[in-house]
Amino acid sequence: MMAAELVPTKKLVPSASASSTSSSSSSSSTQQYQQQNPTSNNTTAAAAAAQGCCNWQGLFPTIRERNSVMFNNETMADVHFVVGPPGGTQRVPGHKYVLAVGSSVFHAMFYGELAEDQEEIRIPDVEPPSFLAMLKYIYCDEIDLCADTVLATLYAAKKYIVPHLARACVNFLETSLSAKNACVLLSQSCLFEEPDLTQRCWEVIDAQAELALRSEGFCDIDTQTLECILRRETLNAKEMVVFEAALNWAEAECQRQDLTPTIENKRLVLGKAIYLIRIPTMILEDFANGAAQSGVLTLNETNDIFLWYTAANKPELLFCTKPRKGLAPQRCHRFQSCAYRSNQWRYRGRCDSIQFATDKRVFIAGFGLYGSSCGSAEYSAKIELKRQGVSMAQKIIKYFSDGSSSTFPVSFDYPVQIEPDTFYTASVVLDGNELSYFGQEGMTEVQCGKVTFQFQCSSDSTNGTGVQGGQIPELIFYA
């Protein structure tokens, strides 16, 4: 199963390409792989080698470069692989010595005690482009990954015990991880026994649960992964969203099992997983207008849950009645004191802004803002988070301040994933008639638990906010 909407990284330019005399049985998958990997000077050498030209070896000073010429090259090939499922196979040439040096599995296959002298080896469970990517690493010491094939390449690297390539695949997946693909990658990370990647996936799913549950990738997970997610105590989501996501998954599962997606079949494929949804913890309105009318619950279950909401003597339920704990938000406060003066802080539609970076991946839920210094007042705030000038999230929201020097939380619709060692811009445009508190003695570096925040001035700030003083006193985040 491929990851959904991974963000490809810049590809490395290879030093070798397929020989111009490759077998006529080569499929379009290899041609596509070659088109995605531009040719270099090694192409000429590979062609010369294939044609038996003398002294092509003299063109390259290192063994690595000479081995690269042999990548996907029929010259001196002493083994061939028929790679891919029936109907989509690709015949790939190989050189036993090079392969055995790069993989203990190939060493055992060609030189071990149980080695068989086979000239052609069938590998139906690996896709041709991923097999070629693994061979390219073995021959050329180059890692060339893309979003469409990285999971299949990881499978090949695991199967043939090529640990450095496998680690590179995991790093690629971690870098590309988002709420859109976290559920799919969670399923695959468990399959590949990659605990670090599994933990990263859980961090994203917990913090951005509603986005992850509404993603297309959620519908592609297996039943075991579904149950793990539904059982999760720290999901940061409304239970109605969890319920709707489970129904979407059930519809996709019906299609996978060639079942008509009726209400009865959805309940059938969900099985006991339905009881992992904490339906009694929904607000009554969500239950009455949603789950109760979905048809997925039996009449007895619906009646019992209504009684559980309203009756003093509550019935026994198979559903968990305890709300999920979710995630506790943390606050990074960047000022050591706050103050107010008779002539500031005023807002006239101008922007208060600050730049920040973290040393670990976090999820910004919103900001803590000051309120009126002249008694209670209502403010309208347009909050925004940008990276390199591109808006990642924004929202217009009203909040009420009680006249104290406390901060008042304002939140985005969904937490925003923040990558480490990258500066982001937090901005707010406030509209209010009253004077406001403002921060003083600002810090350029703040330690919040295990996360270090760094702050610097932003060129977007046109209302006086900077590192030393001003607005946006707090960043509210999950870590």
Side-chain angles (χ1 to χ4, degrees):
M1 186 182 298
M2 294 296 97
E5 293 189 31
L6 294 177
V7 180
T9 57
K10 183 179 180 180
K11 296 180 181 178
L12 298 175
V13 178
S15 58
S17 65
S19 166
S20 60
T21 58
S22 294
S23 171
S24 60
S25 64
S26 296
S27 71
S28 60
S29 61
T30 294
Q31 294 172 356
Q32 181 181 9
Y33 180 87
Q34 292 169 351
Q35 289 170 0
Q36 294 172 349
N37 291 269
T39 58
S40 68
N41 291 336
N42 279 18
T43 306
T44 304
Q51 295 169 8
C53 296
C54 297
N55 200 30
W56 60 267
Q57 297 89 340
L59 297 174
F60 302 98
T62 67
I63 187 64
R64 172 188 171 278
E65 292 173 300
R66 291 191 289 275
N67 275 344
S68 296
V69 175
M70 294 295 101
F71 167 57
N72 201 19
N73 194 332
E74 289 286 353
T75 303
M76 295 184 285
D78 52 2
V79 66
H80 286 80
F81 302 93
V82 179
V83 186
T89 59
Q90 164 63 45
R91 194 167 187 266
V92 179
H95 307 79
K96 293 181 179 179
Y97 168 75
V98 178
L99 295 170
V101 169
S103 162
S104 59
V105 174
F106 283 132
H107 181 274
M109 185 184 298
F110 301 137
Y111 302 108
E113 294 180 359
L114 302 179
E116 298 181 5
D117 190 16
Q118 293 179 297
E119 292 186 0
E120 191 171 270
I121 299 171
R122 296 189 175 275
I123 307 176
D125 58 333
V126 178
E127 296 291 335
S130 298
F131 189 76
L132 286 168
M134 181 182 69
L135 292 195
K136 184 173 184 180
Y137 172 74
I138 292 175
Y139 277 81
C140 309
D141 199 26
E142 293 182 11
I143 296 174
D144 193 359
L145 302 174
C146 68
D148 292 336
T149 60
V150 62
L151 281 172
T153 304
L154 176 59
Y155 173 78
K158 289 277 189 177
K159 177 176 180 177
Y160 291 99
I161 311 181
V162 187
H164 296 292
L165 177 60
R167 184 67 250 170
C169 291
V170 171
N171 290 340
F172 183 97
L173 291 170
E174 289 182 354
T175 301
S176 307
L177 186 59
S178 70
K180 293 181 179 181
N181 58 41
C183 295
V184 171
L185 293 186
L186 175 68
S187 175
Q188 297 298 317
S189 67
C190 295
L191 175 65
F192 293 133
E193 298 181 342
E194 287 290 341
D196 290 343
L197 180 58
T198 300
Q199 178 59 32
R200 293 286 191 186
C201 291
W202 278 126
E203 290 173 2
V204 173
I205 293 170
D206 282 342
Q208 297 181 302
E210 294 193 358
L211 285 175
L213 293 171
R214 286 170 170 155
S215 68
E216 293 182 6
F218 179 80
C219 295
D220 295 331
I221 61 178
D222 57 273
T223 302
Q224 184 178 358
T225 305
L226 171 73
E227 292 177 353
C228 286
I229 293 175
L230 297 183
R231 196 178 288 114
R232 189 75 171 172
E233 186 71 28
T234 46
L235 280 185
N236 208 30
K238 296 177 182 176
E239 207 62 31
M240 190 62 203
V241 176
V242 178
F243 178 78
E244 292 170 346
L247 291 188
N248 291 336
W249 178 90
E251 182 172 349
E253 183 65 14
C254 285
Q255 294 174 353
R256 285 190 286 269
Q257 296 187 22
D258 293 325
L259 297 172
T260 304
T262 61
I263 295 297
E264 293 76 17
N265 284 337
K266 289 180 183 180
R267 178 65 187 255
L268 176 66
V269 298
L270 279 172
K272 293 183 179 180
I274 189 75
Y275 298 113
L276 298 175
I277 306 171
R278 305 185 185 191
I279 294 176
T281 68
M282 295 178 183
I283 62 173
L284 180 57
E285 183 180 0
D286 281 350
F287 173 70
N289 295 328
Q293 298 187 45
S294 67
V296 174
L297 302 177
T298 66
L299 184 59
N300 285 339
E301 287 169 343
T302 303
N303 289 338
D304 284 347
I305 294 173
F306 267 122
L307 286 174
W308 191 90
Y309 278 110
T310 58
N313 186 19
K314 299 184 184 300
E316 291 284 336
L317 298 177
L318 293 175
F319 298 93
C320 181
T321 60
K322 184 180 179 182
R324 301 178 196 271
K325 293 180 180 178
L327 290 179
Q330 301 181 53
R331 295 193 176 206
C332 174
H333 197 92
R334 67 187 191 92
F335 295 127
Q336 299 181 70
S337 65
C338 69
Y340 68 92
R341 299 193 187 103
S342 60
N343 62 340
Q344 47 177 288
W345 199 277
R346 289 190 181 277
Y347 307 107
R348 298 181 178 86
R350 293 192 293 244
C351 179
D352 288 291
S353 182
I354 192 71
Q355 287 194 332
F356 70 93
T358 63
D359 63 341
K360 294 180 177 62
R361 175 187 283 129
V362 300
F363 301 86
I364 296 294
F367 309 146
L369 301 178
Y370 288 126
S372 170
S373 60
C374 304
S376 60
E378 185 179 66
Y379 287 91
S380 174
K382 178 184 177 182
I383 57 174
E384 187 172 20
L385 195 61
K386 294 191 290 187
R387 177 181 179 179
Q388 296 177 346
V390 178
S391 180
M392 303 183 68
Q394 60 176 303
K395 187 176 183 179
I396 297 176
I397 187 171
K398 290 185 177 181
Y399 69 96
F400 183 81
S401 68
D402 58 9
S404 71
S405 60
S406 302
T407 57
F408 302 90
V410 292
S411 300
F412 295 108
D413 288 330
Y414 303 104
V416 181
Q417 181 171 309
I418 300 298
E419 296 300 331
D421 304 320
T422 301
F423 272 97
Y424 294 78
T425 302
S427 300
V428 60
V429 177
L430 285 161
D431 183 14
N433 294 326
E434 302 295 338
L435 296 173
S436 169
Y437 287 93
F438 60 93
Q440 296 184 132
E441 301 179 273
M443 296 172 284
T444 58
E445 184 172 296
V446 180
Q447 186 74 32
C448 291
K450 297 181 179 180
V451 183
T452 301
F453 284 79
Q454 290 184 329
F455 294 95
Q456 67 181 26
C457 293
S458 168
S459 59
D460 291 348
S461 190
T462 58
N463 199 43
T465 289
V467 173
Q468 298 301 319
Q471 300 298 318
I472 317 180
E474 285 182 337
L475 299 178
I476 303 173
F477 68 100
Y478 299 111

